[in-house]
Amino acid sequence: MSIDFKNIIKPYPSPIITGRGIDLDFPMLAGCLALLGLGLVMITSASSEVAAVQSGNTLYMMIRHLVYLVIGLGACIVTMMIPIATWQRLGWLMLIGAFGLLVMVIVPGIGREVNGSMRWIGFGAFNVQPSEIAKVFVVIYLAGYLVRRQKEVRESWMGFFKPFIVLLPMAGLLLMEPDFGATVVMMGAAAAMLFLGGVGLFRFALMVGLAVAAVTILVQAQPYRMARLITFTDPWSDQFGSGYQLTQALIAFGRGEWLGVGLGNSVQKQFYLPEAHTDFVFSVLAEELGVVGSLCTVALFVFVCVRAMYIGLWAEKAKQFFAAYVAYGLAFLWIGQFLINIGVNVGLLPTKGLTLPFLSYGGSSLVICCACLGLLLRIEWESRTHLGSEEMEFSESDFAEEPTHGR
């Protein structure tokens, strides 16, 4: 007996199950798939030497990355099939789950320590990085808060400060790992969402001032952070010590020149540049593909981030405010990670371990990026079709009469 899966899923329509076939935001999908494809190529190239020494197989990292990519695409499909209203209802549960994961990761015996940081929870051969999940869950929770308390956020100090009762303890847990980069990205995205949610300019300026003061105190509180801050301004003064990573990254950029040394021909990946396939994959890309390849990659990132912002704008125009705030928040997460990672690679920011979305090796980051893509595609589809309410009754005619994709 055959099973009609279409009828089973019919009460929960999605961009991939409509009467008109697949109905996605293809420009956004194409941009992200291009980044994923480029990431797979660069991981294969940048990790070949390390993989050969560590496992005896030059393609070991590439195979693992491909597995993560398949899981990520599966996560993208799953998130596309879940109504945005469901995410809104589950916001509190997600927030509690995020706190639980961040507590678990700092518990000895549960969290795994890598390079002096407790940022991972091990599941057999795979590691899960809770901070990647927590950042997205915070965005979903805060989007719900901005919808529920919109007037309070815009008009009172209490509505402005309430989110920080949740955000500050979470930031504290991230700093205990320690994961300074994830803390900055999460708090930056939250601040941007509050600003777009209608927080007055004076209160926003005060928040920015307090954030700058907090960052200054946190940097001075840990000697290694202060050393990184001092070193990055002149990495050549200690090129074989604290400035080693940055100097090797800058050498990679210099060797790449305009058109690069050719795909797979990087010298810096041969144990000169630490973390060449994770935090500094952009440096290897610059060496092999040159300025032209680097600028094309940056252009792809700019397109994807701007498109995500536009998805939020379209949702706001459709009066789907929760979806709009989620889209804005996810866009700012990507923008934050992109700016910090590129800034570190080119020497504009102190060295900080933060992955490049869609490109860097790392299962948690890749899977979460793909899940975020699925959320954005769902938001765009719901705002365009105005079928974004889970309580509505749908029929096949609803999908047959959908307007053509005009964005």
Side-chain angles (χ1 to χ4, degrees):
M1 181 178 65
S2 62
I3 300 175
D4 190 351
F5 288 100
K6 187 174 181 180
N7 287 331
I8 293 175
I9 308 175
K10 190 174 180 180
Y12 301 95
S14 73
I16 56 176
I17 303 175
T18 72
R20 300 173 56 246
I22 297 176
D23 186 23
L24 297 171
D25 180 10
F26 285 104
M28 182 67 170
L29 180 63
C32 291
L33 288 179
L35 286 172
L36 289 171
L38 179 61
L40 181 61
V41 172
M42 292 314 305
I43 293 303
T44 304
S45 174
S47 66
S48 58
E49 302 297 330
V50 174
V53 171
Q54 292 183 352
S55 67
N57 180 5
T58 57
L59 299 179
Y60 176 75
M61 298 290 188
M62 184 272 286
I63 294 171
R64 285 180 63 90
H65 189 77
L66 193 57
V67 171
Y68 293 136
L69 182 56
V70 172
I71 296 173
L73 293 176
C76 178
I77 293 172
V78 170
T79 52
M80 272 194 288
M81 297 178 70
I82 300 175
I84 297 301
T86 301
W87 296 102
Q88 186 172 3
R89 284 200 307 272
L90 297 177
W92 271 104
L93 290 176
M94 291 181 179
L95 184 67
I96 294 171
F99 270 109
L101 287 171
L102 292 178
V103 170
M104 287 174 61
V105 78
I106 59 176
V107 175
I110 298 178
R112 284 187 177 179
E113 183 175 347
V114 179
N115 295 331
S117 298
M118 296 277 286
R119 300 180 186 175
W120 293 267
I121 297 175
F123 293 94
F126 298 96
N127 291 328
V128 174
Q129 191 170 0
S131 61
E132 295 291 338
I133 302 172
K135 286 184 293 186
V136 177
F137 284 3
V138 164
V139 165
I140 293 172
Y141 159 75
L142 189 55
Y145 174 82
L146 290 172
V147 171
R148 292 191 306 272
R149 306 286 185 177
Q150 188 173 64
K151 185 177 180 180
E152 190 178 355
V153 168
R154 293 180 176 181
E155 298 179 0
S156 73
W157 284 92
M158 186 57 66
F160 169 64
F161 281 117
K162 277 182 181 178
F164 292 96
I165 298 174
V166 172
L167 292 172
L168 292 178
M170 188 164 288
L173 289 171
L174 286 171
L175 291 172
M176 290 176 67
E177 295 182 6
D179 196 342
F180 187 66
T183 307
V184 171
V185 170
M186 183 190 73
M187 297 300 286
M193 289 176 69
L194 286 169
F195 181 71
L196 293 176
V199 170
L201 189 60
F202 175 74
R203 281 176 287 165
F204 182 76
L206 177 63
M207 177 175 59
V208 171
L210 291 174
V212 171
V215 169
T216 303
I217 293 171
L218 288 171
V219 167
Q220 294 178 344
Q222 293 291 339
Y224 79 92
R225 290 181 189 143
M226 197 65 191
R228 285 180 176 180
L229 185 64
I230 295 172
T231 303
F232 101 96
T233 58
D234 184 18
W236 303 101
S237 62
D238 190 16
Q239 61 178 312
F240 297 111
S242 57
Y244 181 76
Q245 274 186 305
L246 181 53
T247 55
Q248 296 304 313
L250 294 176
I251 290 172
F253 277 93
R255 292 193 73 253
E257 298 184 349
W258 286 101
L259 298 177
V261 298
L263 192 61
N265 294 327
S266 168
V267 171
Q268 294 305 102
K269 69 180 181 182
Q270 298 177 10
F271 304 101
Y272 291 101
L273 179 60
E275 310 297 337
H277 59 295
T278 54
D279 302 338
F280 285 87
V281 68
F282 189 76
S283 296
V284 177
L285 184 149
E287 183 181 2
E288 296 188 351
L289 304 183
V291 171
V292 174
S294 301
L295 291 179
C296 288
T297 303
V298 171
L300 264 177
F301 272 112
V302 171
F303 170 77
V304 165
C305 293
V306 170
R307 188 76 179 182
M309 293 292 290
Y310 267 104
I311 288 173
L313 179 61
W314 294 329
E316 193 169 359
K317 287 182 177 179
K319 300 191 182 303
Q320 297 176 3
F321 297 108
F322 172 78
Y325 292 135
V326 170
Y328 291 142
L330 296 179
F332 283 118
L333 287 181
W334 287 354
I335 291 169
Q337 287 192 227
F338 165 69
L339 290 177
I340 291 176
N341 185 279
I342 299 295
V344 166
N345 274 254
V346 301
L348 293 177
L349 293 173
T351 302
K352 186 71 205 76
L354 202 64
T355 57
L356 189 59
F358 296 104
L359 245 69
S360 293
Y361 176 83
S364 297
S365 175
L366 187 64
V367 172
I368 293 300
C369 281
C370 291
C372 291
L373 170 61
L375 263 174
L376 288 167
L377 293 174
R378 176 81 195 194
I379 290 169
E380 189 277 336
W381 177 77
E382 289 194 3
S383 66
R384 175 162 45 85
T385 60
H386 298 282
L387 299 174
S389 174
E390 193 182 31
E391 287 75 24
M392 290 178 63
E393 293 293 333
F394 296 96
S395 65
E396 193 67 28
S397 61
D398 290 323
F399 305 105
E401 294 172 5
E402 286 177 8
T404 56
H405 200 301
R407 293 176 180 166

